[in-house]
Amino acid sequence: MEIAILSDRQQMGRQAAAAGAGAIRAALAARGAANIIVATGASQFEMLAALVAEPDVDWSQVTGFHLDEYIGIPITHPASFRKYLKERFVDQAPLAAFHYLNTDQDPAAECRRVGAVLQAHPIDVAFVGIGENGHLAFNDPPADFETEEPYIIVELDDACRRQQLGEGWFATLDEVPQRAVSMSVKQILQSKQIICTVPDARKAVAVRDAVGNSVTPHVPASILQTHPHVMLYLDEASASLLPNEIR
């Protein structure tokens, strides 16, 4: 794992986007096509804004996949990740295709449907974040490190739900869904390269535990230590608890 610590969120987002765009260009040059995974949440604002502004990326040859989505809220809801991705990424980049997770009707069937498409599109770059509770996608602790299913239905723990409330996506905790569809940990790790963008002091404990301690399902993002090509982008606040030997 390589760690880059930038002075603020804006620089962090630009650096992460530049690295991700470089990996996309490399895949396009090698195969004429690229496949990516895109995360959501407040941590990805600056990175996505910078990514869609990157020059010389032929988005028409790029296929995107949705990382996770709540069960029980429609695409019109302010917290919908489909809405988030459409407005902040898909509408800004003329992709070959983007495969949303439509969880409105039959989430289990949707896991199978999008999972089958994903199997035919090996991922070149996964853009992800880390939750305040150390989650990776919506794989809350203790995460399932063993399932081979590309997408799974998960229960959201209280810490995860409080994070969504704290970021302003919901008015009350009761409104935050208790279940979601998430890409599985093993599926994320199949990506050739992972760009992980994690700003803010509220993520400092999760970053410290994911990077500085042993790999454990109780800190799901710690599994990133096992991947050969991970770039972790932090700002000074999120990196503040890292020991000097890691910084």
Side-chain angles (χ1 to χ4, degrees):
M1 178 185 292
E2 296 183 47
I3 300 174
I5 302 172
L6 289 307
S7 61
D8 56 36
R9 291 178 62 115
Q10 287 70 34
Q11 288 195 37
M12 176 207 65
R14 287 193 294 269
Q15 290 279 349
I24 294 170
R25 292 189 199 99
L28 291 172
R31 301 197 322 274
N35 304 308
I36 65 174
I37 299 165
V38 188
T40 56
S43 67
Q44 306 299 302
F45 285 158
E46 292 80 10
M47 188 281 295
L48 284 177
L51 183 62
V52 297
E54 275 286 323
D56 303 320
V57 175
D58 185 358
W59 292 110
S60 69
Q61 301 301 315
V62 178
T63 297
F65 287 88
H66 196 161
L67 184 67
D68 48 19
E69 180 60 283
Y70 297 108
I71 292 173
I73 62 173
I75 192 172
T76 54
H77 192 287
S80 164
F81 291 157
R82 285 167 289 170
K83 175 180 172 66
Y84 176 115
L85 289 168
K86 183 177 186 301
E87 294 176 352
R88 290 181 170 84
F89 183 62
V90 180
D91 284 353
Q92 312 299 320
L95 299 170
F98 192 90
H99 297 281
Y100 292 101
L101 292 165
N102 184 348
T103 56
D104 292 348
Q105 301 299 322
D106 187 339
E110 187 70 348
C111 287
R112 295 189 294 271
R113 183 189 71 82
V114 183
V117 180
L118 182 59
Q119 298 310 294
H121 294 78
I123 298 299
D124 297 292
V125 190
F127 295 93
V128 303
I130 296 175
E132 292 176 28
N133 64 351
H135 72 207
L136 183 62
F138 264 149
N139 297 287
D140 284 338
D144 185 345
F145 283 178
E146 302 304 323
T147 183
E148 302 284 347
E149 297 298 320
Y151 287 97
I152 56 176
I153 294 174
V154 296
E155 300 288 330
L156 303 182
D157 71 13
D158 285 345
C160 175
R161 295 174 67 237
R162 286 194 298 271
Q163 176 183 330
Q164 312 312 313
L165 176 66
E167 290 185 357
W169 302 108
F170 298 91
T172 68
L173 185 61
D174 286 343
E175 293 179 17
V176 184
Q178 297 187 5
R179 297 195 308 156
V181 167
S182 178
M183 187 174 289
S184 67
V185 171
K186 273 197 171 181
Q187 182 63 55
I188 294 169
L189 292 180
Q190 289 181 28
S191 307
K192 295 176 185 175
Q193 185 165 337
I194 298 176
I195 304 292
C196 187
T197 308
V198 192
D200 297 339
R202 62 192 174 88
K203 301 287 185 75
V205 170
V207 167
R208 179 201 65 196
D209 292 346
V211 173
N213 295 327
S214 59
V215 175
T216 170
H218 295 284
V219 184
S222 65
I223 197 73
L224 294 175
Q225 297 178 42
T226 69
H227 192 282
H229 301 294
V230 174
M231 280 295 303
L232 176 61
Y233 290 89
L234 309 172
D235 62 6
E236 287 289 348
S238 63
S240 61
L241 299 181
L242 288 178
N244 290 331
E245 61 268 24
I246 293 178
R247 289 176 61 90

